[in-house]
Amino acid sequence: HFARRTLAVAIGGLAATTLSLQVQAATEVTLGHTLSDSSHYSVGADAFKETLERLSDGEFTVNEHPSGSLGGERAMIEGLQIGTVDVVITSTGPLGNFVPETYVLDLPFLFEDYDQARCVLDGEIGEELLTKMSDHDLVGLAWSENGFRHMTNSMREINTPEDAEGLKVRTMENRVHQEAFRQMGASPTPMAFPELFTALQQGTVDGQENPITVIVATNFWEVQDHLSLTGHVYSPAAILASPILLDGLSDEEREWFNQAAQASAEATREEVSRLEEEGVALLREKGMTVKTDIDPAPFQEAVEPAYEIYTDEYGSEMLDRIRASD
Ligand code: EAX
């Protein structure tokens, strides 16, 4: 009798040990983003998953949730703060609402080209901004990329800011962007990305603005006829993590997350570059009219007051440093 009970206890103990090993063996990491599974964000998400799972030798497994299935970017950032989401690839659109220091990156016509933007984000300024995230219950892992944003609409060709007058344009939930479109004479309507396709389809808004990458990945040609390459603002993407997960990790484990984010950013930027080369032809094939020879000067002049919204509140130190970097 005694022997049988001992055996039962021993087996019970063994089962408990196996169970706890299993739990440790598979820490599941929930990764979300708003774009489709064919997008440049998904290319980056795949690279993140591959790198983290390889470096950690299976200690972490990554579950990808594309297409806004975890909500819009603002909702996912909130999810990071409360620990319902672990990693998010997001534009800086709604990020300024959480980390105001990042608003500077959303100023129109700030970056000249991809080289300059990537260089600033990979340098001291980018590092400083990533560090700032931890003052706001977020962990900044790396700067990835969305791309230079352009305008699309279903009404008319846009060549000058006057052509945008009166258009209802969906913007991201970002004060700097809203002000820029107001200055152009458009009527800005902030909205979370997952609602955008339907809003365009139903005519709630006439147009929107996004990089070629996003226009391609979201089949916007189905609901938008005209694309003008205004390139009015560079749109970075941030790879963010939840402090609730990251704070509990060892230095070595955190380093795996950093490296996974680096690999993700690299893969995404490569895909952005590829789509910058091939995207316009593809969109024309799909039936969009694409205006490539837009003069940026009148747009630049029109949106200038948006800078005051930023400098009035945050000064011009960061802005001057970025401008000095080209
Ligand atoms: O980050 O909201 C947007 O227009 C963003 O560019 C998109 O969600 C990708």
Side-chain angles (χ1 to χ4, degrees), residues 34-35 40-41 73 89-91 146 149 170 172 191-193 196 208-211 214 235 237:
T34 51
L35 299 177
H40 57 304
Y41 282 6
E73 294 182 332
I89 302 173
T90 176
S91 74
N146 198 13
R149 303 178 79 91
R170 176 270 179 176
M172 297 196 286
M191 190 185 288
F193 188 80
L196 178 54
Q208 64 89 44
E209 44 82 55
N210 251 304
V214 177
S235 187

Side-chain angles (χ1 to χ4, degrees), residues 2-18:
F2 176 71
R4 207 188 301 151
R5 188 184 300 164
T6 310
L7 191 67
V9 168
I11 290 172
L14 199 68
T17 313
T18 315

Side-chain angles (χ1 to χ4, degrees), residues 132-305:
K132 275 271 179 266
M133 312 265 181
S134 56
D135 297 344
H136 305 276
D137 287 333
L138 295 167
V139 178
L141 292 177
W143 288 110
S144 183
E145 190 163 74
N146 198 13
F148 275 93
R149 303 178 79 91
H150 308 293
M151 294 172 68
T152 71
N153 79 97
S154 56
M155 308 292 263
R156 54 181 173 263
E157 251 178 35
I158 292 180
N159 293 298
T160 65
E162 287 73 48
D163 297 328
E165 244 174 66
L167 278 187
K168 271 204 219 154
V169 178
R170 176 270 179 176
T171 67
M172 297 196 286
E173 297 162 276
N174 182 298
R175 291 164 55 207
V176 175
H177 285 202
Q178 283 163 245
E179 185 57 25
F181 280 90
R182 203 170 291 123
Q183 293 298 334
M184 262 186 235
S187 157
T189 310
M191 190 185 288
F193 188 80
E195 293 162 37
L196 178 54
F197 191 92
T198 309
L200 292 169
Q201 197 168 38
Q202 296 181 341
T204 318
V205 289
D206 307 313
Q208 64 89 44
E209 44 82 55
N210 251 304
I212 292 180
T213 50
V214 177
I215 299 169
V216 168
T218 319
N219 296 7
F220 276 148
W221 59 80
E222 290 175 10
V223 286
Q224 297 279 271
D225 300 322
H226 307 287
L227 165 62
S228 294
L229 299 190
T230 43
H232 51 274
V233 68
Y234 173 78
S235 187
I239 306 179
L240 305 175
S242 170
I244 293 170
L245 173 67
L246 274 269
D247 288 354
L249 302 183
S250 68
D251 288 350
E252 189 191 20
E253 289 168 327
R254 282 183 72 119
E255 190 46 33
W256 296 336
F257 275 76
N258 284 327
Q259 287 188 32
Q262 279 309 326
S264 175
E266 270 168 39
T268 294
R269 283 180 181 178
E270 246 174 62
E271 182 67 358
V272 171
S273 298
R274 186 184 73 80
L275 285 163
E276 280 293 326
E277 300 262 309
E278 298 169 16
V280 168
L282 181 88
L283 293 171
R284 282 192 170 129
E285 232 170 74
K286 297 290 184 187
M288 285 187 111
T289 63
V290 186
K291 293 293 291 180
T292 54
D293 53 346
I294 304 285
D295 175 10
F299 286 95
Q300 199 161 353
E301 204 176 304
V303 302
E304 189 62 31

